[in-house]
Amino acid sequence: MIIDCHGHYTTEPAPLFEFRRRQVAAIDDPAKSPSPASLKISDDEIRESLEGAQLKFQRERGTNLTIFSPRASGMAHHIGNAETSLVWSRICNDLIHRVCNLYPKNFIGVCQLPQSPGVAPANCIGELERCVSELGFVGCNLNPDPSGGNWNSPPLTDRWWYPLYEKMVELDVPAMVHVSASCNPNFHTTGAHYINADTTAFMQFLTSDLFKDFPTLKFIIPHGGGAVPYHWGRYRGLAQDMKRPPLKELLLKNVYFDTCVYHLPGIELLTKVIPADNILFASEMVGAVKGIDPETGNYFDDTKRYIDAVSSLSAADKQKIFEGNARKVYSRLGAKLARL
Ligand SMILES: [Zn+2]
């Protein structure tokens, strides 16, 4: 079985965008906010949105299951206030739930959290619990910078975040560290802000004792871990200079990387530097990079091809990357798959 741990609903039916447009337009006049019940999307609209995209690519590429969450750049936690974010998150998560019910063998849900700048992450506990306990989701996306590029929240290792981590541990769900849209023109959303955030989160983890406080807390750093694998020597050296334990001991029981690196040399480096036990297959399709690489004739985000092509990985390691590690990190996945 091939499990893609990183997919977003980026082909949403048009009424969702119209709802969001009306919601954002009413931020200064909440009386004009559209009611969630006014949003009408049919099952056929959902099917149409997926059949020619995510489902087609799953079939063509030979992957089986996508761990699926709302569009990451659409979370836009910096827009409005905590209530805006809660209404929007519930709608987006409910839509993912409908996708998972229509295609239970193809998609399993991960939720968006109703974060808001300056608001304690404890406010996300209710929605996380609803999504996991009631909707059957297996994880969440956690935005380390709900300001959208201004980085004015405490680091992920600050006690500010601890109540949410306590709930994640209790529910036994991991978080993918995933920023949303950038509203800082210095940082292109998918080309810079995403990769910066991945790298930033890793360095925050390196300098803290977060995993002493939460030995079973698990994070996936997406997009191949940002700059981390490429600069592994820098991070090992920094840890050493700071009298921290070796990275493998310090972080690799809790921190995982995905394979959203869109060329073979990048995947070769990732799999050479990071132990196979810490890598989860992912493509983020249909996502940031939609085109075909003229050098190979294949889609940039057809990441399965790169892993297939890495000759230094054993069959057992490939099995871990494609399936075993996802089952380990998303602990609730096994029970859900067994019921299919
Ligand atoms: Zn993503």
Side-chain angles (χ1 to χ4, degrees):
M1 180 169 202
I2 296 186
I3 301 171
D4 183 341
C5 80
H6 187 174
H8 303 290
Y9 196 6
T10 49
T11 53
E12 317 93 314
L16 187 73
F17 294 105
E18 177 56 17
F19 177 89
R20 180 62 165 170
R21 190 195 63 71
R22 290 170 57 212
Q23 189 200 25
V24 172
I27 280 172
D28 294 328
D29 187 0
K32 289 190 181 147
S33 296
S35 96
S38 69
L39 174 63
K40 305 283 184 219
I41 296 174
S42 69
D43 285 353
D44 279 346
E45 282 176 295
I46 294 176
R47 288 191 191 97
E48 271 167 38
S49 72
L50 296 161
E51 286 289 351
Q54 290 87 350
L55 289 166
K56 172 173 158 278
F57 288 131
Q58 280 185 354
R59 282 191 296 270
E60 285 178 3
R61 299 176 185 184
T63 65
N64 304 107
L65 177 79
T66 301
I67 297 179
F68 205 52
S69 59
R71 180 192 290 263
S73 61
M75 299 188 293
H77 295 116
H78 57 278
I79 293 177
N81 55 28
E83 177 62 19
T84 318
S85 195
L86 179 61
V87 170
W88 179 233
S89 297
R90 288 182 67 105
I91 282 175
C92 292
N93 291 331
D94 285 346
L95 197 54
I96 295 296
H97 181 51
R98 288 181 64 191
V99 168
C100 298
N101 279 346
L102 286 170
Y103 299 98
K105 291 187 174 163
N106 299 88
F107 299 105
I108 285 193
V110 152
C111 67
Q112 164 179 336
L113 294 172
Q115 295 175 253
S116 191
V119 178
N123 82 320
C124 298
I125 288 173
E127 181 61 1
L128 176 64
E129 187 142 47
R130 183 183 82 93
C131 289
V132 174
S133 304
E134 294 175 29
L135 308 186
F137 287 16
V138 297
C140 58
N141 289 335
L142 181 64
N143 185 348
D145 173 30
S147 76
N150 294 308
W151 291 96
N152 46 18
S153 292
L156 285 176
T157 49
D158 191 276
R159 288 182 176 274
W160 170 256
W161 302 89
Y162 274 27
L164 181 62
Y165 296 161
E166 284 164 11
K167 183 54 71 174
M168 285 169 54
V169 167
E170 182 198 315
L171 294 170
D172 199 14
V173 293
M176 179 172 280
V177 178
H178 208 310
V179 283
S180 186
S182 166
C183 52
N184 179 336
N186 287 286
F187 304 126
H188 181 274
T189 294
T190 53
H193 187 41
Y194 281 18
I195 309 301
N196 294 347
D198 304 335
T199 312
T200 298
F202 185 84
M203 192 62 204
Q204 291 177 357
F205 296 148
L206 189 158
T207 50
S208 91
D209 287 323
L210 175 65
F211 300 118
K212 273 192 185 154
D213 289 343
F214 294 100
T216 61
L217 187 63
K218 288 172 288 187
F219 290 104
I220 302 98
I221 302 188
H223 320 112
V228 170
Y230 193 61
H231 290 279
W232 194 241
R234 172 176 291 256
Y235 294 105
R236 284 181 52 228
L238 281 167
Q240 181 174 293
D241 289 352
M242 292 174 184
K243 314 288 183 222
R244 306 288 296 156
L247 289 189
K248 283 186 183 171
E249 203 179 295
L250 179 66
L251 297 178
L252 293 187
K253 291 184 196 74
N254 306 86
V255 177
Y256 299 84
F257 300 85
D258 81 6
T259 64
C260 292
V261 179
Y262 293 159
H263 65 154
L264 178 58
I267 291 290
E268 286 172 336
L269 181 131
L270 174 73
T271 53
K272 191 171 180 184
V273 171
I274 303 298
D277 285 327
N278 290 79
I279 301 172
L280 276 66
F281 171 69
S283 69
E284 206 178 18
M285 65 87 175
V286 179
V289 179
K290 297 185 180 67
I292 289 174
D293 183 346
E295 293 181 9
T296 65
N298 300 312
Y299 284 98
F300 282 103
D301 65 6
D302 185 357
T303 54
K304 178 172 173 292
R305 285 176 185 274
Y306 310 134
I307 296 154
D308 287 340
V310 178
S311 53
S312 57
L313 280 175
S314 68
D317 283 347
K318 286 186 185 179
Q319 195 280 335
K320 285 180 187 173
I321 292 170
F322 280 133
E323 178 183 1
N325 294 338
R327 287 179 180 267
K328 184 176 69 177
V329 174
Y330 294 86
S331 327
R332 288 174 166 260
L333 200 55
K336 282 194 71 78
L337 293 175
R339 283 199 296 273
L340 288 178

